[in-house]
């Protein structure tokens, strides 16, 4: 019975582009373990690191803390932080995991320390008072900012609120960084490879921390979904029959290639051809028996295909197991040929090709 393939003429829109761009933090399985994030923050917050961005990132962070409560020996002092006095300074000492403090930034010249508690997913149950006193114990420090950085705003519980200056989000930090006029200059004219790479790393870091890579164009996706639903509503039965027919024809390919496998093994042995590695498998519309001959370091595959760009039955030849210098040799046999005819023709042609390779090697 002929298939109804009218649904194939339906003009479908282009598929949406991939929603997730390549991102090093997305690729690394442990990329979001807290210490990995702390190390990235440590790198970008240090004005003297080789990223070439000077104080751009720490200035963005300090700007977000403008007006936050400064912390003293008894907690909040009632004095609000004035960020303007600190912007542009390169006199910051940045440390990570200092007595359990995620990031500790110290500016001894101005007597200020910044305690940054990085909360990726855990609740805010840290001893902020202990962290503040540890920062105040540093030489020359008389006031502290105790800040939480997280995907969402966090509220310090109970008495710990007395030791909490402000909560900010990664989205807010990313937006503040983008506001910097210096960032535009760096992007337009990076001074060296370190700066170019650092700008790209910073972009990936902020994208992943704010889940920018997961944002998609829902309108485009909705149009594709609606198209597919309409197609199935009108041609669902034909689509189902088509998919079943494709599955059946590929099953036919695999069945025959398996049937040919022991016959080829026997014929190769009779021909005195020694096989090393071999493979028997298939993919969409193609099935194969592959054989590598180590004495000449070439491979030959008997392939059966229903793809119109390929012959129906052919030899696929390539150097070693590398798929380099490949070539195709049609067997000039139809599917109606017997198994014995296909096997005999395949082994005869392989023996001839092997002889050619040996002669070429000797001549070289």
């Amino acid at each position: 019975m002929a298939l109804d393939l009218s649904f194939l003429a339906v003009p479908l829109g282009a598929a949406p582009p991939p929603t997730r761009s390549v991102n090093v933090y997305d690729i690394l399985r442990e990329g979001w373990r807290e210490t990995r994030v702390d190390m990235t923050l440590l790198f970008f917050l240090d004005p003297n690191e080789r990223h070439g961005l000077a104080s751009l990132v720490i200035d963005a962070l300090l700007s977000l803390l403008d007006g936050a409560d400064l912390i003293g020996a008894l907690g909040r002092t009632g004095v609000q932080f004035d960020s303007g006095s600190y912007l542009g300074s390169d006199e910051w000492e940045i440390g990570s995991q200092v007595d359990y403090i995620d990031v500790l930034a110290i500016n001894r010249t101005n007597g200020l320390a910044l305690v940054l508690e990085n909360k990726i997913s855990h609740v805010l149950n840290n001893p902020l008072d202990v962290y503040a006193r540890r920062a105040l114990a540093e030489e020359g420090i008389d006031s502290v900012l105790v800040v939480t950085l997280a995907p969402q705003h966090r509220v310090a519980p109970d008495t710990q609120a007395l030791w909490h200056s402000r909560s900010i989000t990664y989205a807010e930090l990313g937006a503040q960084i983008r506001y910097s006029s210096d960032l535009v200059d760096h992007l337009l004219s990076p001074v060296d490879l370190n700066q170019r790479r650092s700008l790209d790393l910073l972009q990936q870091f902020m994208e992943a921390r704010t889940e920018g890579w997961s944002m998609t164009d829902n309108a485009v996706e909705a149009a594709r979904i609606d198209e597919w639903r309409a197609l199935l509503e009108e041609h669902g039965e034909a689509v189902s029959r088509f998919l079943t027919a494709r599955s059946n024809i590929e099953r036919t390919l695999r069945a025959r290639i398996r049937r040919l496998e022991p016959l080829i093994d026997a014929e190769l042995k009779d021909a005195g051809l020694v096989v090393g590695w071999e493979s028997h498998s298939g993919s969409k519309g193609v099935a194969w028996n592959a054989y590598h001959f180590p004495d000449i370091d070439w491979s030959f595959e008997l392939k059966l295909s229903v793809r119109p760009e390929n012959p129906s039955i052919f030899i696929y030849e390539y150097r070693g197991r590398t798929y380099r210098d490949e070539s195709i040799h049609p067997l000039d046999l139809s599917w109606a040929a017997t198994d014995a005819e296909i096997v005999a023709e395949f082994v005869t042609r392989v023996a001839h090709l092997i002889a050619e390779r040996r002669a070429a090697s000797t001549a070289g």
Side-chain angles (χ1 to χ4, degrees):
M1 182 177 64
L3 290 174
D4 175 14
L5 302 180
S6 59
F7 69 92
L8 295 177
V10 176
L12 293 173
T19 59
R20 298 172 71 156
S21 56
V22 174
N23 187 295
V24 64
Y25 294 98
D26 188 28
I27 294 170
L28 293 173
R29 288 187 178 182
E30 298 184 344
W32 291 129
R33 295 190 70 168
E34 189 168 292
T35 53
R36 311 296 197 272
V37 178
D38 291 346
M39 291 167 66
T40 307
L41 288 170
L42 183 73
F43 175 71
F44 282 112
L45 288 172
D46 189 343
N48 300 300
E49 262 290 3
R50 61 188 184 279
H51 48 62
L53 304 179
S55 62
L56 187 151
V57 175
I58 196 168
D59 283 354
L61 177 60
L62 294 173
S63 296
L64 287 174
L65 300 177
D66 194 63
D69 288 313
L70 289 169
I71 306 297
L74 301 177
R76 290 183 177 177
T77 62
V79 178
Q80 294 183 326
F81 175 62
D82 179 10
S83 63
S85 303
Y86 300 87
L87 300 183
S89 174
D90 61 358
E91 298 183 15
W92 290 96
E93 303 170 26
I94 313 292
S96 178
Q97 295 301 316
V98 180
D99 291 334
Y100 303 103
I101 299 173
D102 290 338
V103 178
L104 177 61
I106 297 173
N107 192 316
R108 301 184 194 278
T109 301
N110 293 298
L112 177 71
L114 169 64
V115 171
L116 187 64
E117 178 59 27
N118 178 35
K119 304 304 294 183
I120 298 177
S121 58
H122 298 95
V123 297
L124 180 57
N125 57 3
N126 305 77
L128 302 182
D129 56 337
V130 175
Y131 296 170
R133 292 190 179 103
R134 169 62 180 83
L136 286 166
E138 288 285 334
E139 182 180 355
I141 301 303
D142 52 35
S143 58
V144 178
L145 286 166
V146 179
V147 181
T148 54
L149 176 63
Q152 303 86 24
H153 287 118
R154 300 296 182 92
V155 177
D158 305 325
T159 58
Q160 291 299 313
L162 182 64
W163 302 87
H164 191 209
S165 299
R166 180 168 291 175
S167 170
I168 61 175
T169 68
Y170 274 97
E172 290 171 338
L173 179 58
Q176 191 66 39
I177 290 172
R178 289 193 296 273
Y179 291 153
S180 170
S181 58
D182 289 340
L183 179 63
V184 176
D185 293 337
H186 296 324
L187 289 170
L188 290 176
S189 182
V191 295
D192 56 21
L193 180 60
N194 279 343
Q195 193 176 75
R196 286 197 300 272
R197 288 181 170 176
S198 298
L199 287 166
D200 187 43
L201 179 63
L202 180 61
Q203 174 71 16
Q204 292 188 46
F205 180 71
M206 297 311 305
E207 277 181 1
R209 288 312 303 138
T210 59
E211 297 185 341
W213 44 261
S214 67
M215 298 177 63
T216 63
D217 189 340
N218 292 330
V220 173
E221 290 187 353
R224 301 294 81 79
I225 293 294
D226 289 344
E227 282 182 341
W228 188 249
R229 286 174 61 88
L231 174 68
L232 293 180
E233 183 176 10
E234 183 176 355
H235 301 286
E237 187 176 346
V239 171
S240 179
R241 286 200 301 269
F242 171 78
L243 294 176
T244 300
R246 185 179 69 177
S247 177
N248 288 340
I249 200 67
E250 290 178 349
R251 188 181 302 116
T252 300
L253 287 180
R254 292 193 298 271
R256 191 162 199 189
I257 206 72
R258 284 195 298 268
R259 196 165 70 235
L260 294 172
E261 181 184 340
L263 302 178
I264 294 173
D265 287 343
E267 193 79 10
L268 288 172
K269 288 177 182 176
D270 288 345
L273 300 176
V274 178
V275 176
W277 167 88
E278 57 185 271
S279 173
H280 312 277
S281 188
S283 59
K284 291 182 179 179
V286 180
W288 63 79
N289 288 321
Y291 306 91
H292 175 249
F293 297 88
D295 60 326
I296 61 168
D297 195 25
W298 279 80
S299 296
F300 304 91
E301 300 183 9
L302 174 64
K303 285 201 169 187
L304 309 180
S305 174
V306 295
R307 296 179 181 175
E309 67 270 21
N310 294 331
S312 180
I313 306 174
F314 63 99
I315 294 175
Y316 178 49
E317 174 191 23
Y318 49 89
R319 184 183 297 278
R321 292 170 57 186
T322 63
Y323 300 99
R324 294 201 307 265
D325 301 328
E326 69 271 18
S327 58
I328 288 177
H329 308 278
L331 283 193
D332 299 325
L333 293 173
S334 71
W335 188 267
T338 66
D339 290 353
E341 289 172 335
I342 293 174
V343 169
E345 181 66 13
F346 171 68
V347 174
T348 299
R349 296 286 294 276
V350 166
H352 179 72
L353 290 168
I354 289 176
E356 287 184 347
R357 293 300 173 194
R358 284 176 177 157
S361 176
T362 301

